[in-house]
């Protein structure tokens, strides 16, 4: 029906997929997989990692390497080969996510280590 009438449709079919990094993990490999899982299609895939659980013995390493990888992502046109991350599906999705992030920060629920503006 949507295709016949060219109706815009966005569906969220995801869950609360965990991403575990255990104490004996190859940290570089884990971070590469985490970035691919969380950032592919701007994280708008139902099976993207949502809950990231890291063993305390490798937490600082994972955080440092994750920050390094995240800050190298280039937002842009998905048809531009130099872009490594495309935009969210709509302006409303961006506004909702930004409001959610600001609410969590204001409540003291997170420490922002890079970015902070969606």
């Amino acid at each position: 029906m949507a295709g016949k009438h060219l109706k815009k449709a966005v569906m969220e079919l995801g869950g609360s997929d965990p991403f575990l990094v255990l104490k004996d993990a190859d940290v570089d490999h884990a971070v590469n997989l985490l970035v691919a899982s969380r950032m592919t299609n701007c994280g708008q895939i139902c099976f993207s990692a949502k809950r990231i659980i890291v063993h305390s013995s490798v937490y600082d390493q994972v955080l440092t390497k994750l920050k390094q990888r995240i800050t190298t992502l280039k937002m842009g046109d998905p048809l531009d080969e130099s872009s490594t991350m495309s935009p969210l599906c709509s302006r409303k999705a961006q506004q909702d996510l930004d409001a959610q992030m600001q609410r969590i920060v204001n409540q003291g629920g997170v420490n922002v280590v890079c970015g902070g503006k969606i």
Side-chain angles (χ1 to χ4, degrees):
M1 186 93 177
K4 180 179 177 184
H5 299 286
L6 297 176
K7 302 282 185 186
K8 182 178 180 179
V10 176
M11 298 171 47
E12 171 52 53
L13 303 173
S16 298
D17 307 304
F19 188 97
L20 304 175
V21 183
L22 304 178
K23 65 182 176 181
D24 61 346
D26 175 335
V27 172
D28 289 321
H29 186 63
V31 168
N32 286 338
L33 291 174
L34 176 55
V35 171
S37 173
R38 186 62 240 163
M39 303 312 249
T40 298
N41 198 34
C42 203
Q44 299 173 106
I45 298 175
C46 57
F47 54 82
S48 293
K50 312 239 182 3
R51 294 178 293 131
I52 303 162
I53 302 165
V54 180
H55 192 275
S56 60
S57 66
V58 293
Y59 177 83
D60 290 334
Q61 283 180 282
V62 170
L63 184 62
T64 298
K65 290 176 185 280
L66 187 57
K67 180 180 176 183
Q68 290 169 348
R69 285 291 313 281
I70 296 293
T71 57
T72 65
L73 295 175
K74 181 183 175 215
M75 175 73 75
D77 182 339
L79 299 176
D80 179 349
E81 291 184 17
S82 69
S83 295
T84 56
M85 193 165 96
S86 57
L88 288 166
C89 63
S90 70
R91 171 65 80 192
K92 180 166 179 2
Q94 180 265 330
Q95 292 167 340
D96 289 349
L97 187 56
D98 189 54
Q100 180 184 35
M101 184 69 183
Q102 293 308 315
R103 189 170 49 253
I104 293 167
V105 169
N106 292 341
Q107 292 173 356
V110 297
N111 293 323
V112 178
V113 296
C114 65
K117 176 92 174 101
I118 298 172

